[in-house]
Amino acid sequence: MTTQWSALDIEQQTTEWLEKVVIGLNLCPFAAKPQRNKQIKIEVCEGTDDQTVMDCLLAELSLLDSSEVADLETTLVVTPHLFQDFDDYNQFLDVADMLIDQFGWRGIYQIASFHPDYCFADVEPEDDSNLTNRSPFPVFHLIREASIEKAFKYYGGNAEDIPQINIDRVCGLSDSEKKALFPYLFRAPSV
């Protein structure tokens, strides 16, 4: 499916999603500043097996751990050649979380999940609420927990309301807005 795209194409599509959807729709009220300050890294992991992705996640978590927040706030690890099936991706999240535990990073880092076929539990796959977590490729978002805590401290609203605000926002999009913001969901499958 994605073999025709170079790593640069994948990075550009992910950046466009970040800027137009995540920041543009304000789905993450904390993403604009690090993006503006060039503190978000997009790492395209071209691995085709679980171990390669684990190695990539470990390398990126280690890089976060050895970097100053002013230089690197967060990392999006994009896996364009693996986890096309959402269930496989979702199962691998448990493995990725074990990696955080194994290296003693629980409470320091967490992983947020995004996928082209993202589906919340107890929600139908075609439900528009899933758009809040639908990205052009499978993405493991590595987040510093201290950054989340700091952002919530300065957030003007109630942080617990953010998921429902986001669902309301994406459910209120017109069909043409959905096609413009999520073109990868409307592509004909490649043969």
Side-chain angles (χ1 to χ4, degrees):
M1 179 178 158
T2 58
T3 53
Q4 73 269 22
W5 293 314
S6 70
L8 181 60
D9 291 333
I10 292 162
E11 183 177 343
Q12 288 173 337
Q13 287 182 53
T14 303
T15 300
E16 185 173 314
W17 162 75
L18 176 65
E19 292 175 348
K20 289 184 177 178
V21 176
V22 177
I23 295 170
L25 294 176
N26 202 30
L27 299 181
C28 178
F30 320 120
K33 184 178 178 186
Q35 178 67 357
R36 192 172 46 251
N37 293 338
K38 301 187 183 331
Q39 296 166 293
I40 299 176
K41 180 181 181 191
I42 297 174
E43 177 64 26
V44 178
C45 177
E46 300 207 51
T48 57
D49 61 79
D50 290 6
Q51 185 60 52
T52 304
V53 174
M54 285 294 291
D55 292 344
C56 185
L57 288 171
L58 180 58
E60 293 307 316
L61 283 162
S62 296
L63 179 61
L64 274 174
D65 207 48
S66 65
S67 299
E68 295 296 323
V69 177
D71 298 323
L72 181 61
E73 175 83 32
T74 190
T75 302
L76 302 173
V77 177
V78 184
T79 60
H81 306 299
L82 196 61
F83 308 121
Q84 297 307 310
D85 180 79
F86 178 65
D87 289 333
D88 293 343
Y89 170 84
N90 212 23
Q91 288 177 13
F92 188 81
L93 279 170
D94 292 334
V95 176
D97 274 337
M98 288 188 318
L99 183 72
I100 286 178
D101 288 334
Q102 180 182 350
F103 284 87
W105 289 325
R106 178 71 51 208
I108 299 170
Y109 303 106
Q110 65 177 257
I111 301 174
S113 54
F114 300 93
H115 191 279
D117 297 320
Y118 195 95
C119 186
F120 289 106
D122 303 322
V123 174
E124 293 298 318
E126 61 278 353
D127 193 290
D128 283 346
S129 64
N130 295 313
L131 292 173
T132 63
N133 287 60
R134 290 206 171 162
S135 55
F137 306 98
V139 173
F140 298 90
H141 181 192
L142 310 179
I143 307 169
R144 296 175 188 267
E145 291 208 7
S147 296
I148 294 172
E149 291 169 18
K150 183 178 175 185
F152 281 155
K153 192 176 186 180
Y154 295 104
Y155 178 63
N158 185 350
E160 293 164 3
D161 294 338
I162 293 172
Q164 189 58 53
I165 291 168
N166 291 347
I167 288 170
D168 293 346
R169 188 168 290 125
V170 297
C171 288
L173 295 171
S174 69
D175 286 343
S176 61
E177 288 171 320
K178 289 175 199 166
K179 287 179 181 172
L181 292 168
F182 303 95
Y184 46 90
L185 298 178
F186 298 94
R187 287 186 191 125
S190 54
V191 182

